[in-house]
Amino acid sequence: MSAFHFLRALSQINKTTPKSSLLLRSRRIRHAAYASMAYTAGRSRLWSRALLRRLQRRSRLRYFSSQRTRAVIAPRRLKAVRPRSGEPSRAEALRRLVPGGAGMDYCSLLDETAHYIQCLSSQVQLMQKVVGSISS
Amino acid sequence: MEAFSYEQHYPFLLDSPILPPTPFEMSLPIQQVGEMNNNSPSCFPYYFSAEAILGVSSVDARAYESSSSLDTATKAPSVESQIAPPSVVIESHDEKVPKHQGSMEKKRKNGDKTCSSSGRSKNVKESKSGKQRKRNCELKGKEEKKPKCDDLKATEAGEEPPPGYIHVRARRGQATDSHSLAERVRREKISERMKMLQGLVPGCDKVTGKALMLDEIINYVQSLQNQVEFLSMKLASTNPSLYDFGVDLDDFMDKPEKMENIPHQLTLVNPTTHFQPTAFDNATNNYQMIDPPVPLLLHCQGPTAFPQDGGSFMIQVGEQRQPILDQFEHNNMSSFQ
């Protein structure tokens, strides 16, 4: 399913984005990869929900900025980073990596990380396959 | 003392559901806890009296079996233990906790001894098992009021008080107030998740210690994210050339088709798929030259015509890619569902 979504998005990106701007294309492809991944994981997962929300917000921002040149950037909520009791200090780094990790407790953070790793690695496999089949 | 409290729980897990109260002497050699043979019976009447009086439901028996199989393998209970009801998981995991959190345990033990009746000598305890049970009952009542983290336990206890009341009991020498019980549940959940992650992250099983494991996990996630970035760069740089040569497209093309063999029954993809053939316009032209019946249908009928015709056609064209894709698809689907 993820492969299907991703390839569809890829073909659309190829259609719409100009071929010259490599950076834009690669960013859009990356977003498509994450979006297809999160979409496949479904809304039951915290990380996929957070990822989709983030991507949506970004696309909305892009839409706004293209519409009226002045981007309406919502001020980012800054959560007070306090060392949570009973968890290793490295957990904060993991929170930053896993989407939506800031709001999770440590237990579900680990759970979501496991699922996220699974999805991410299969997405990487898919992209490798696509790249391989294209370049060969 | 540490080792003692660690081991003494085994026979209970293993044999209590299967065997009636008598044979715990027999069960001990299996667990090779001979060194504590003289100690264990003293703590046993406590368990068995409760067990024998109340009986065990079928669900509990299953749970016990699963946990006992885990224990006999002396393996860390991992994903399997998710099947078991939470309260049983608590029990099966508890043996691990004292090892990691030795200092905390000791502290707790001290507190326990000073403040409560549970930390007395064995003989006293043996004689007062009835009292102890009563006390645990109280504890259970307290437990039910607590909303967070123990809600599963609490609900279970609400449905069938006797088994719940057996399960949530803290073992001898452990703190029994609701906070430390909840803390123990949480810790044991965390270690279970850690085990799960250990299986997922390559190279994580070699390192010891939670901090190092977390480092490994972080590195792995980072490397995966970097890989996604790198691959998207690569895709962005290679893709435009595709549309200059329609020939290259057909091995790009067979993937969506392969994917459609699966969502055959999924109607939700159908409305959106129609732009896909248009994206591969020149590819379909290619097909038309080789295989007339297929491609024009693509435009008007969309994906429903795709799998049968396109799939069989692709077998002719790109058969060397077929196994790769199939295999890929298998692991893709399996990892997602």
Side-chain angles (χ1 to χ4, degrees):
Chain A
M1 261 328 265
S2 155
F4 177 68
H5 284 298
F6 178 59
L7 289 171
R8 210 179 56 199
L10 207 59
S11 72
Q12 209 182 14
I13 288 167
N14 277 327
K15 245 192 342 183
T16 54
T17 36
K19 295 176 176 37
S20 53
S21 59
L22 188 72
L23 207 66
L24 179 67
R25 281 169 57 84
S26 79
R27 201 202 303 146
R28 289 198 63 182
I29 288 172
R30 196 175 71 233
H31 284 183
Y34 281 133
S36 67
M37 201 173 83
Y39 193 70
T40 315
R43 295 216 148 241
S44 61
R45 285 290 170 169
L46 289 175
W47 68 261
S48 62
R49 255 181 291 166
L51 195 55
L52 283 175
R53 216 179 306 130
R54 193 201 291 165
L55 291 174
Q56 245 171 23
R57 198 176 58 200
R58 266 186 210 162
S59 65
R60 214 179 300 142
L61 281 182
R62 196 161 56 224
Y63 173 75
F64 273 126
S65 57
S66 67
Q67 285 287 303
R68 10 174 140 156
T69 62
R70 186 169 54 88
V72 185
I73 297 170
R76 239 195 130 123
R77 263 177 299 152
L78 286 175
K79 279 176 191 159
V81 180
R82 56 183 171 80
R84 301 173 205 219
S85 60
E87 63 185 59
S89 54
R90 296 292 284 153
E92 279 307 316
L94 193 61
R95 270 175 212 287
R96 277 195 288 276
L97 283 178
V98 178
M104 298 178 199
D105 62 317
Y106 187 52
C107 210
S108 57
L109 174 72
L110 291 180
D111 201 20
E112 297 293 320
T113 309
H115 194 255
Y116 183 60
I117 284 177
Q118 275 181 332
C119 292
L120 204 57
S121 62
S122 65
Q123 181 69 31
V124 165
Q125 273 179 336
L126 163 71
M127 289 172 83
Q128 276 168 346
K129 287 281 192 301
V130 171
V131 166
S133 74
I134 285 173
S135 58
S136 69
Chain B
M1 189 57 195
E2 213 70 272
F4 169 62
S5 66
Y6 170 66
E7 297 276 10
Q8 99 188 6
H9 200 56
Y10 272 103
F12 167 59
L13 280 176
L14 254 186
D15 297 318
S16 47
I18 309 158
L19 303 170
T22 39
F24 45 80
E25 290 295 340
M26 203 180 76
S27 71
L28 286 170
I30 303 170
Q31 297 299 318
Q32 35 164 276
V33 284
E35 69 272 14
M36 37 161 286
N37 252 344
N38 43 356
N39 289 340
S40 49
S42 63
C43 69
F44 252 88
Y46 173 44
Y47 288 127
F48 272 123
S49 52
E51 201 71 35
I53 292 165
L54 299 163
V56 188
S57 69
S58 63
V59 183
D60 290 337
R62 245 194 299 128
Y64 277 130
E65 269 163 26
S66 73
S67 62
S68 68
S69 70
L70 282 169
D71 284 340
T72 43
T74 61
K75 243 182 70 182
S78 57
V79 193
E80 224 179 315
S81 55
Q82 286 174 345
I83 308 156
S87 52
V88 181
V89 177
I90 301 159
E91 300 280 274
S92 71
H93 269 280
D94 261 353
E95 300 98 54
K96 302 229 153 13
V97 179
K99 277 203 282 191
H100 294 307
Q101 314 273 341
S103 60
M104 278 183 71
E105 283 304 316
K106 265 170 204 156
K107 214 197 297 171
R108 257 193 225 153
K109 257 173 231 158
N110 289 338
D112 207 17
K113 269 177 192 167
T114 50
C115 72
S116 74
S117 67
S118 75
R120 303 213 180 141
S121 74
K122 290 158 208 144
N123 302 329
V124 178
K125 185 161 184 186
E126 202 172 358
S127 64
K128 289 188 179 175
S129 64
K131 187 183 170 186
Q132 179 102 29
R133 235 181 299 153
K134 220 182 289 171
R135 195 169 152 272
N136 277 315
C137 210
E138 286 170 17
L139 206 152
K140 188 59 220 162
K142 248 193 285 173
E143 194 77 25
E144 277 177 22
K145 278 169 209 152
K146 200 157 55 67
K148 234 177 95 180
C149 213
D150 285 68
D151 45 355
L152 283 171
K153 255 189 297 172
T155 51
E156 193 191 323
E159 286 160 18
E160 32 176 13
Y165 134 67
I166 290 175
H167 292 169
V168 196
R169 187 200 297 126
R171 274 174 289 116
R172 248 183 89 253
Q174 287 188 328
T176 45
D177 60 314
S178 57
H179 288 291
S180 44
L181 274 180
E183 182 57 26
R184 211 173 301 144
V185 171
R186 182 175 160 272
R187 247 183 288 135
E188 152 274 302
K189 254 192 209 163
I190 285 171
S191 67
E192 173 195 323
R193 305 266 155 83
M194 275 303 212
K195 293 274 156 34
M196 205 162 76
L197 276 167
Q198 209 169 16
L200 281 175
V201 179
C204 204
D205 41 358
K206 292 182 190 78
V207 298
T208 50
K210 286 196 176 176
L212 287 177
M213 252 170 73
L214 259 186
D215 277 346
E216 282 292 319
I217 290 163
I218 288 165
N219 285 342
Y220 187 59
V221 171
Q222 251 168 353
S223 76
L224 282 175
Q225 283 175 347
N226 288 342
Q227 251 176 314
V228 167
E229 200 164 337
F230 168 71
L231 284 169
S232 62
M233 274 295 250
K234 215 167 173 182
L235 274 176
S237 62
T238 51
N239 263 347
S241 61
L242 275 186
Y243 292 97
D244 303 337
F245 319 107
V247 193
D248 277 352
L249 257 177
D250 48 25
D251 40 85
F252 187 59
M253 184 80 178
D254 59 1
K255 285 208 192 82
E257 280 169 7
K258 291 261 86 70
M259 285 324 287
E260 269 187 24
N261 289 342
I262 299 161
H264 228 344
Q265 68 277 19
L266 291 178
T267 49
L268 93 166
V269 282
N270 285 352
T272 43
T273 40
H274 60 85
F275 64 80
Q276 178 202 333
T278 59
F280 297 113
D281 229 345
N282 41 2
T284 50
N285 288 340
N286 263 353
Y287 290 153
Q288 214 163 12
M289 281 182 269
I290 313 162
D291 196 31
V294 188
L296 277 181
L297 291 174
L298 299 181
H299 287 285
C300 43
Q301 289 190 352
T304 45
F306 240 84
Q308 308 93 343
D309 302 331
S312 62
F313 171 64
M314 285 327 297
I315 291 167
Q316 295 160 11
V317 176
E319 63 249 284
Q320 80 277 21
R321 293 224 164 68
Q322 212 81 348
I324 305 170
L325 285 169
D326 282 342
Q327 167 229 332
F328 159 69
E329 217 159 77
H330 280 308
N331 56 31
N332 191 29
M333 295 313 282
S334 61
S335 68
F336 275 125
Q337 255 81 49

